[in-house]
Amino acid sequence: MTPPGATHDPQLRSWVDSANDPTADFPIQNLPLGVFRAESGRHNIGIAIGDQILNLQATAAAGLIDHLDPLITSACRRPTVNALMALDVHAMPALRRALSLLLQHDSPPHPELLVPSAAVEMQLPADIGDYTDFYASIHHATNVGRLFRPDNPLLPNYKYLPIGYHGRASSIVPSGTPVHRPHGQLRPDPNQSPQFGPSRLLDYELEVGFFLGPGNELGSPIPIDEAGRHLFGACLVNDWSARDIQSWEYQPLGPFLAKSFATTISPWVVTMEALVPFRIAAARRPEGDPDPLPYLHSSADQAAGGIDLTLEVYLKTPRMSEPVRLSRASFESMYWTPAQMVAHHSSNGCNLRPGDLIASGTVSGPGDGERGSLLELTARGTQPLQLPSGETRKFLEEGDEIIFRGYCRREGYVRIGFGECHGQVMSPIVMNS
């Protein structure tokens, strides 16, 4: 991994005034990519800068990045970020340097290239061909395991391989999309036959997603030392979960209808280049835990495979004027690194493609206030949350809005944020009999 460079300089300021606010998610040191729908209906790639969006298609059309490789300028004109994700590891640093110079305070301003963030509708940043959800937080795995298997919370394979399942790419939705309570088979009474109906135990899962870059050919595994080069950028992920449907269907093959009805992601992709100042050592394994098998072990990844990323969950019910924070956790405690997830995913020759999304699984920490799901926070509904409005919650109810926020902050560097990932629970869609 390259060390922080000129684009991470904490002294940089932009001619976009809102980007210079120290509390802004999108200072000039961030420059995440997303896709917005213009008034014409066209989808354009944009760069978040303060409370504005730099239109990359218009920037390329104005000739302001003509000095870059034509493959880069061509990719900036596309309606999704996939073409940029497909380029080699040198492309994004080059584009990032060019955009940083363009937006710096002593460069000529180009307000005609900006669109107010509040005036557009954000789309999914990429055409997501495949989605894989991992289970990389040992704290989450242990918390959940204790609820179902108090004497044996972790299954024997957990400390040897990154557990994951193949999710549903077609139901990934951008932040702000309403989420309808799903239907499925439920078996609340183990002594009775199952019934079909709307989930009663709807939950969220706080996760971090990683969009994949160049990918690999079918049959050609990605070595762990190269896996980081196949990570393009990160976003926030809410892997909505119907716990009652899940508890009935998950054995022996794992999640299905309990997860495939909706997965919400934040609209901005924070590039791995932007995250360089916040890379840290992978979490230290407890004494006595097995070392990763050789195909999952890299000295470089152990030294800088973690990310110092703080994640927060907020809940706003219809009776509340302001959301309340439910938890705060750190991504630095993850048992498996993003590179290990990529290396394991491809180790059987599975081909990963630009724009594929992998998610970390629920991010939870060791403390009570660091739990990334209601399943954990309420101990499977036996310890309801007491809210400032006087309400209680075991699981989510109609009208509830879940909001995720994430940010990286480190001494000597400017704080960068991920924006919000939010969705509101709606009534189940009426099914025709």
Side-chain angles (χ1 to χ4, degrees), residues 192-257:
Q192 301 291 326
S193 297
Q195 55 190 257
F196 183 82
S199 168
R200 302 168 189 170
L201 309 181
L202 187 59
D203 200 357
Y204 63 83
E205 293 196 351
L206 172 65
E207 307 195 14
V208 178
F210 294 91
F211 279 96
L212 300 183
N216 60 304
E217 296 292 330
L218 182 66
S220 300
I222 298 172
I224 181 66
D225 280 323
E226 298 178 14
R229 293 162 48 193
H230 293 263
L231 294 164
F232 179 83
C235 65
L236 305 179
V237 174
N238 185 347
D239 184 36
W240 302 91
S241 299
R243 299 301 187 185
D244 40 5
I245 299 174
Q246 183 179 7
S247 66
W248 171 236
E249 72 175 4
Y250 86 104
Q251 296 186 37
L253 290 180
F256 186 33
L257 299 187

Side-chain angles (χ1 to χ4, degrees), residues 94-119:
L95 177 59
R96 180 179 163 85
R97 286 192 296 271
L99 296 175
S100 177
L101 289 171
L102 180 66
L103 290 164
Q104 286 176 26
H105 74 283
D106 52 358
S107 295
H110 289 277
E112 73 280 4
L113 302 178
L114 299 180
V115 181
S117 297

Side-chain angles (χ1 to χ4, degrees), residues 33-38 41-46 53 79-81 120-128 172-177 211 265-269:
L33 294 104
V35 171
F36 67 96
R37 187 169 66 185
R42 175 186 169 88
H43 290 186
N44 290 332
I45 301 175
I53 298 172
T80 69
V81 186
V120 302
E121 181 180 339
M122 297 302 295
Q123 310 295 306
L124 291 177
D127 288 329
I128 303 170
I172 297 175
V173 296
S175 179
T177 304
F211 279 96
I265 67 172
S266 55
W268 295 106
V269 182

Side-chain angles (χ1 to χ4, degrees), residues 120-166:
V120 302
E121 181 180 339
M122 297 302 295
Q123 310 295 306
L124 291 177
D127 288 329
I128 303 170
D130 277 297
Y131 163 52
T132 302
D133 196 18
F134 283 91
Y135 198 48
S137 168
I138 195 169
H139 301 294
H140 173 68
T142 302
N143 291 340
V144 172
R146 285 198 182 108
L147 294 174
F148 294 92
R149 301 178 303 275
D151 298 328
N152 186 31
L154 283 182
L155 295 176
N157 61 356
Y158 187 86
K159 295 181 179 181
Y160 286 92
L161 58 88
I163 304 292
Y165 74 93
H166 189 240

